[in-house]
């Protein structure tokens, strides 16, 4: 199976963030750290995944994923964003015949106050320029269309988005669920090609992560 553009982007972003001084080795997280503990674990995913990479990032790192990075970096800092942490997981392939594998990126962003975290989630719009620097799980090349989906019941207060990409050889969708909890914005980005119920699965992973540590 060919490596998708999306995965290359994640891997490149991960290398950048790890190089910026996270101190984490590949495939290692440190649950004692407040941010590390607030991204999904094998337990939250229900088992059957490998953690491909994980790391810390700054507002500037996040801003660099979109256009006008300097302006966006200042806006993120002004909005109270301090730092973030992500973990990228890939489902272990089952025995043949192989089913589509699930890719998951879980992320936690720390803000100075709970009000700022809530305002960040409230301000998100179903548009690429809004979501592109809300998370590091970005994305296939091609034309992207973002729509907001009905909010899940659990976790309460979450917002859900579908990022569809068409063009070239790819026709794909990534499902994102994002919520504020205290001074943290927590999110899950998920894709399982050709499988239904992905938004519900993303919400369930996020809810499990929050139940483990609010």
């Amino acid at each position: 199976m060919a490596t998708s553009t999306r995965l290359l982007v994640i891997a490149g972003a991960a290398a950048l963030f790890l190089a910026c001084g996270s101190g984490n080795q590949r495939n290692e997280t440190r649950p004692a750290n407040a941010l590390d503990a607030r991204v999904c674990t094998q337990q939250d995913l229900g088992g059957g995944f490998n953690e491909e990479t994980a790391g810390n990032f700054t507002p500037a790192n996040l801003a660099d994923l979109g256009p006008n990075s300097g302006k966006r970096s200042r806006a993120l800092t002004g909005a109270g964003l301090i730092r973030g942490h992500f973990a990228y997981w890939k489902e272990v392939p089952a025995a043949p015949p192989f089913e589509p594998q699930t890719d998951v990126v879980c992320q936690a962003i720390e803000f100075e106050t709970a009000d700022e975290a809530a305002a960040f989630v409230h301000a998100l719009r179903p548009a690429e320029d809004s979501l592109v620097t809300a998370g590091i799980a970005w994305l296939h090349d091609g034309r992207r269309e973002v729509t907001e989906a009905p909010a899940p019941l659990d976790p309460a207060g979450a917002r859900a988005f579908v990022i569809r990409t068409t063009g070239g050889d790819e026709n794909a969708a990534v499902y994102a669920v994002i919520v504020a909890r205290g001074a943290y914005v927590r999110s899950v980005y998920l894709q399982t090609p050709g499988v239904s119920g992905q938004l519900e699965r993303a919400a369930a992973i996020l809810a499990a992560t929050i139940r483990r540590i609010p």
Side-chain angles (χ1 to χ4, degrees):
M1 179 183 297
T3 302
S4 73
T5 303
R6 174 175 49 86
L7 301 188
L8 291 174
V9 170
I10 291 174
L16 168 65
F17 300 150
L18 291 169
C20 288
S22 71
N24 287 357
Q25 296 180 0
R26 188 173 183 273
N27 295 332
E28 177 186 352
T29 57
R30 297 177 179 172
N33 179 284
L35 282 179
D36 289 7
R38 285 175 166 84
V39 299
C40 56
T41 65
Q42 186 79 252
Q43 173 188 344
D44 303 325
L45 294 165
F49 282 79
N50 283 330
E51 187 182 58
E52 297 292 308
T53 192
N56 297 338
F57 56 90
T58 67
N61 296 146
L62 204 56
D64 283 342
L65 299 178
N68 303 315
S69 60
K71 179 179 179 181
R72 181 60 176 164
S73 179
R74 291 189 294 273
L76 290 172
T77 302
L81 195 155
I82 301 171
R83 61 190 180 124
H85 184 84
F86 78 96
Y88 165 49
W89 297 82
K90 189 171 185 66
E91 192 170 21
V92 178
F98 296 115
E99 298 295 327
Q101 292 174 257
T102 298
D103 295 306
V104 180
V105 172
C106 299
Q107 179 178 273
I109 305 174
E110 184 178 4
F111 286 78
E112 293 179 3
T113 68
D115 286 345
E116 288 170 330
F120 181 85
V121 174
H122 179 75
L124 292 173
R125 295 179 291 106
E128 182 179 349
D129 63 349
S130 179
L131 286 184
V132 70
T133 49
I136 67 97
W138 217 253
L139 271 186
H140 300 278
D141 286 335
R143 188 178 71 251
R144 301 178 187 129
E145 177 184 89
V146 182
T147 56
E148 186 160 7
L153 295 178
D154 190 20
R159 298 182 68 186
F161 299 91
V162 184
I163 306 105
R164 293 184 175 87
T165 307
T166 59
D169 296 328
E170 297 187 284
N171 189 335
V174 173
Y175 295 80
V177 181
I178 305 170
V179 70
R181 282 292 181 275
Y184 301 94
V185 171
R186 317 271 286 274
S187 58
V188 169
Y189 293 77
L190 181 146
Q191 179 179 1
T192 315
V195 174
S196 62
Q198 296 182 63
L199 195 58
E200 291 81 3
R201 188 176 184 187
I205 292 169
L206 184 56
T209 305
I210 292 170
R211 282 194 298 271
R212 178 175 48 80
I213 179 166

